[in-house]
Amino acid sequence: MKKLLLAASIMALTACSAPTEPQLNINPEPVLASQPVVKGKALAVDSRDLRPAQFVAVVDNGEKSVQPLHAKQNLRLVMQDALTRQFGAQGYTIDNQSQSKLRLDILEAMVNVKDGMMSHDLSSKLQIQLVVESPKGKFVKRYSGKSARSGAMSASVEKMEEAMNNLIGAVLKDIYADPELNTYLQENL
């Protein structure tokens, strides 16, 4: 009995010291306007993560081994924060009690990695949907982006982070510069 208890204790300690899977640091840069473009318009911002899987990268090393990688932070909250900062810099007052609501739906956010000993291929996809509801109506629009790059040697976690952060940043720029969205917000809030 003592030997069994000792073996179980050793296995438990070994499991605690086993290396953890790497995680990606997702920290996109929102577009911050130098001058506010609106005044006195309040907006509540919310978000939903509608992805079927919660990991942000999949690494396939070709040996029938596929490794999913998660983000260090909650992707939904990171993207909601970036969007809130972006709209705040445009002059919108972010107020959870506002009758006008903007919801961010994350539909897809993934970096697919084909990893070999001498080279790697990164393929990133992002698809989100913005839903604006105000007393005057509803606006729904999807934004998406894709990127692909190749490199020498094995793909690092930093390269995967850079791919996803750059892609989210590009989609945030599209949102910032979207005349249809900006016109709707200015006329209907």
Side-chain angles (χ1 to χ4, degrees):
M1 189 66 160
K2 288 181 182 179
K3 288 181 181 180
L4 184 61
L5 184 59
L6 179 63
S9 297
I10 290 172
M11 285 179 47
L13 288 173
T14 305
C16 291
S17 66
T20 59
E21 297 294 327
Q23 294 182 322
L24 276 61
N25 185 22
I26 306 300
N27 190 17
E29 286 296 320
V31 180
L32 301 178
S34 57
Q35 297 269 334
V37 292
V38 297
K39 267 192 171 166
K41 299 204 181 270
L43 190 60
V45 179
D46 194 15
S47 60
R48 298 186 307 183
D49 191 343
L50 303 176
R51 298 175 297 149
Q54 297 304 301
F55 45 85
V56 293
V58 174
V59 180
D60 181 356
N61 67 10
E63 298 174 4
K64 296 183 180 177
S65 173
V66 177
Q67 177 185 19
L69 301 177
H70 295 270
K72 289 179 183 176
Q73 311 86 345
N74 182 316
L75 182 64
R76 178 186 68 79
L77 295 176
V78 166
M79 291 185 66
Q80 179 180 324
D81 178 63
L83 206 57
T84 299
R85 289 175 33 214
Q86 184 166 307
F87 279 107
Q90 287 178 277
Y92 293 96
T93 303
I94 307 304
D95 178 5
N96 289 336
Q97 303 304 317
S98 174
Q99 289 184 338
S100 300
K101 300 183 184 328
L102 180 140
R103 189 184 72 231
L104 162 70
D105 293 335
I106 303 171
L107 306 174
E108 184 177 20
M110 182 67 66
V111 179
N112 287 302
V113 182
K114 297 282 185 194
D115 211 6
M117 291 181 63
M118 300 306 288
S119 66
H120 67 270
D121 295 316
L122 294 173
S123 173
S124 307
K125 291 181 183 178
L126 177 68
Q127 185 176 36
I128 63 172
Q129 176 175 273
L130 292 185
V131 179
V132 180
E133 293 184 76
S134 72
K136 296 181 181 179
K138 185 174 183 176
F139 175 89
V140 179
K141 188 166 183 180
R142 288 189 179 189
Y143 299 86
S144 61
K146 292 181 182 183
S147 71
R149 63 174 71 166
S150 297
M153 308 307 284
S154 185
S156 66
V157 170
E158 290 78 16
K159 289 188 187 282
M160 293 178 232
E161 290 172 347
E162 181 182 354
M164 184 53 71
N165 285 323
N166 288 345
L167 188 55
I168 294 171
V171 170
L172 289 172
K173 284 179 187 172
D174 288 346
I175 293 169
Y176 176 81
D178 183 359
E180 189 179 13
L181 173 64
N182 288 320
T183 300
Y184 182 86
L185 291 172
Q186 291 176 15
E187 293 177 356
N188 293 286
L189 296 189

